[in-house]
Amino acid sequence: MTHDWQQQIHALHDELIRRDDPAAWVREADAVDASVRYPGFALRGPVFGVAAQEPAVGPEWRVLKPVVSGMPQMCRDSLNSHLWFRAKDDTDDPAVRRELLAAVDVLEREPVNEVEACGVRYRIVRGDEFTRCDGDDRLEPPRPTDPEPAVRTWERRAAPTPSPDLDLVLDPDSGDDGPMAGALRAGLRGFVYRGVRFPAEVRRDSERAVRSHPRIVLLPVCFGVVERERTGWEPALALQSTPHDARRVLHDAMVELWPLLYQYDDDKKAVYEKAAEEFRALERADETRVAGRTLRVCRVERMLRMGPDGPETPRPSDVDEYGPMKIHPKLLDDGTVIHEE
């Protein structure tokens, strides 16, 4: 660790003392404990989102769409929809509408990673997702200090807790997260993909990113449901904002989603429903077993790289399973929607 990073960590420690925040001290103690109990890191691969920079407001990049998608094109499609609905619903100015729709037109035809409209830069951004683990391949569960919803409900199809990514300022100099987070950022600066399981182009892109985007932003922690497979733990459901949201989504999947998706017979449905209700009755359980499957709620951390011009975009070796397409009907300058047959 360089002298510069040592100074930054000392500054974070001094800031924690100055704030005299008991809750922050407890979170810091939790982080120290986790580093001892779960000293390893299990890489889960890249995640993508959308960030925006509005120079008229300030130089900061802010997260517009959460950094949780598995492919860049999913984020291009999300940005496409965001700009189309802005053009449809948020302006009566034909010139503004034309500029927004020009960006939509580009996104419909090209796999671009940045567009500009009405003075705002929109960028597809890339992060890496990882979990902490111990020597026995156990993944870190939620911590006692991790945030929970104000009202914990088990109702099916309940609205999830809003993503903590939204409107997040991508600031690698943030000093609000404590010395342990500062030490983690320092340790991740040189992180690259290694090993023969990664193709050569993936490893090369990773090494280039350390030089081109050397600074690290730690995104808010999320929570996932993983399943034990022969080759290790694999994601089973989408990332959630709180431990309870992950538990509720797992409960709903056992009761409704998986039986419908995989067309379980009545006996298998009953097995899954019984396991789901037992899991729910425990309130804060982080693991369940059903029909030979082991499912676990784990804590997921994410990092994003920053360079002189802002957050890192998708790398050439990142994979899309499909390309750009037209998503919405034609929208005229006057706001008329044309539904073409």
Side-chain angles (χ1 to χ4, degrees):
M1 185 180 300
T2 66
H3 181 64
D4 175 60
W5 273 101
Q6 288 175 335
Q7 288 182 323
Q8 291 186 42
I9 292 171
H10 288 321
L12 289 169
H13 183 266
D14 292 343
E15 171 64 16
L16 194 62
I17 293 174
R18 187 195 65 77
R19 282 160 54 192
D20 191 24
D21 182 348
W25 278 108
V26 174
R27 288 193 298 271
E28 193 69 13
D30 254 4
V32 172
D33 181 58
S35 71
V36 174
R37 296 177 61 192
Y38 300 94
F41 291 89
L43 177 67
R44 298 183 67 192
V47 283
F48 305 91
V50 182
Q53 182 193 48
E54 191 169 357
V57 175
E60 300 89 358
W61 286 88
R62 294 176 180 270
V63 177
L64 178 69
K65 300 292 181 180
V67 188
V68 296
S69 296
M71 295 185 295
Q73 189 58 45
M74 297 169 69
C75 300
R76 297 183 192 110
D77 292 346
S78 179
L79 178 57
N80 179 328
S81 290
H82 173 81
L83 296 174
W84 191 88
F85 279 106
R86 275 200 61 196
K88 175 178 175 290
D89 299 328
D90 294 349
T91 183
D92 293 321
D93 187 332
V96 171
R97 187 173 284 124
R98 277 194 299 272
E99 191 166 350
L100 292 166
L101 292 175
V104 170
D105 180 64
V106 172
L107 289 163
E108 288 177 345
R109 295 181 289 104
E110 303 174 36
V112 296
N113 292 324
E114 186 169 322
V115 294
E116 184 170 342
C118 303
V120 181
R121 296 171 69 187
Y122 299 93
R123 179 177 292 184
I124 310 303
V125 299
R126 181 195 194 281
D128 276 299
E129 182 183 324
F130 58 94
T131 58
R132 296 174 184 262
C133 59
D134 64 11
D136 296 322
D137 198 31
R138 286 192 293 264
L139 304 182
E140 183 186 12
R143 298 176 188 172
T145 50
D146 284 328
E148 291 281 20
V151 177
R152 297 172 66 250
T153 177
W154 290 90
E155 291 183 13
R156 295 184 196 175
R157 302 186 186 90
T161 303
S163 171
D165 286 8
L166 296 177
D167 206 35
L168 177 74
V169 175
L170 298 176
D171 179 12
D173 295 320
S174 173
D176 295 336
D177 44 6
M180 288 300 293
L184 178 58
R185 287 200 303 272
L188 289 171
R189 287 194 72 173
F191 164 75
V192 294
Y193 288 62
R194 291 192 176 94
V196 294
R197 71 188 182 101
F198 297 111
E201 61 271 23
V202 171
R203 299 197 301 269
R204 286 195 296 268
D205 281 353
S206 179
E207 291 164 0
R208 277 194 293 267
V210 172
R211 299 188 296 273
S212 64
H213 294 78
R215 309 187 74 193
I216 301 295
V217 173
L218 296 178
L219 298 172
V221 66
C222 289
F223 303 87
V225 176
V226 294
E227 180 173 2
R228 184 68 175 174
E229 303 283 2
R230 286 186 300 175
T231 56
W233 294 98
E234 294 292 337
L237 294 166
L239 289 179
Q240 302 296 318
S241 300
T242 72
H244 180 72
D245 284 297
R247 295 180 187 114
R248 181 181 55 77
V249 166
L250 174 55
H251 174 271
D252 291 353
M254 288 192 287
V255 171
E256 185 172 15
L257 175 63
W258 292 335
L260 178 64
L261 186 63
Y262 300 114
Q263 299 183 334
Y264 292 165
D265 60 28
D266 289 343
D267 289 343
K268 195 166 185 177
K269 285 180 184 178
V271 169
Y272 271 77
E273 185 167 347
K274 181 175 183 292
E277 295 314 309
E278 290 173 350
F279 177 73
R280 172 176 172 170
L282 294 172
E283 287 288 335
R284 294 178 182 269
D286 294 320
E287 183 173 294
T288 187
R289 289 180 170 84
V290 56
R293 303 170 68 183
T294 299
L295 297 147
R296 182 173 294 176
V297 175
C298 69
R299 198 173 194 273
V300 178
E301 300 185 61
R302 294 166 298 151
M303 58 171 277
L304 181 149
R305 288 190 172 276
M306 298 284 287
D309 190 42
E312 184 185 12
T313 58
R315 300 171 186 171
S317 56
D318 289 325
V319 177
D320 277 316
E321 294 180 0
Y322 64 96
M325 66 183 76
K326 187 175 180 62
I327 299 175
H328 298 286
K330 185 175 182 179
L331 181 60
L332 301 182
D333 290 353
D334 64 2
T336 302
V337 177
I338 304 297
H339 294 278
E340 300 172 349
E341 295 185 0

